[in-house]
Structures are given as C-alpha cells and as structure tokens.
Amino acid sequence: MNTGTKVLVVEDNPILLLDLCDQLAEFGYHPIPASTAATAARLLDDTIAALVTDIELGLGPDGLAIARLAAQIKPMPIVVVSGGVVPTRADLPAQAVFLPKPYSVEDIVMALDRQSMAQAA
C-alpha cells in the first residue's frame, strides 16, 4: 500500500488503539482511530483505503459488522483481529484476513499489502 494510505483502526482498548495507530504511522500509513463500531461507521467513506478492526468492541455492533459494512462501501484490504473470538471464513468479508491477538504490526502490514496487491491485479 502507498505511503499516507488512510487506514481506519477500530479497537475499544484505548492503549491498544493508540499503540497500533502509532505503529502503523511508523510504516507510513495514516491511521484513523475509532473506539466503537458506531464511530467507525461514521468515519467510513471513500477516503478510507483499508480497515483494521478488533471483533469485540463492547456494546453495540462488533468488528465483523464493521468489516462487512466496509466491504459493501468499496473493495478495500480488511484485517480482523481478536484475542477471544475466532471467526469462521463465512463470518468474514470475502478477502478479509483474520489475525489472532497478540499480533505483530508487521503481520498486519503484510496482510494489508497482500490484499492491496491482489485487488490491483
């Protein structure tokens, strides 16, 4: 993915959210943080090029709902993470990648890049 790519990052744990956003910025991404599904849904627009979301987001819709919404808006790389829930392939949008917690930011970047290249082909 290109430097400056806007990535919506959805995580209800504020420390994990800030840490992941900082790490993605170090890789040249422009992270857009959201701590709830409702906030993420409001932020999803044509300028968002990728999504990284936790599944468990507290009250309200979960990260899988945000992933499906993002995939409906436009094709984009999607990485879904969780420390508890393991989704089935049917739970995820078609090209989304699941990574269990703890993950490394390098794994997230590789998953985003692979999906980006596959969509460009």
Side-chain angles (χ1 to χ4, degrees), residues 38-58:
T39 299
R42 284 192 302 273
L43 293 171
L44 269 173
D45 62 25
D46 286 342
T47 67
I48 301 295
L51 171 70
V52 178
T53 184
D54 189 14
I55 292 176
E56 297 174 289
L57 298 173

Side-chain angles (χ1 to χ4, degrees), residues 8-42:
L8 181 58
V9 181
V10 190
E11 170 63 65
D12 64 331
N13 180 314
I15 294 170
L16 294 178
L17 178 62
L18 292 174
D19 184 52
L20 182 54
C21 286
D22 286 347
Q23 290 185 64
L24 287 171
E26 289 176 12
F27 277 87
Y29 292 94
H30 180 76
I32 308 297
S35 60
T36 67
T39 299
R42 284 192 302 273

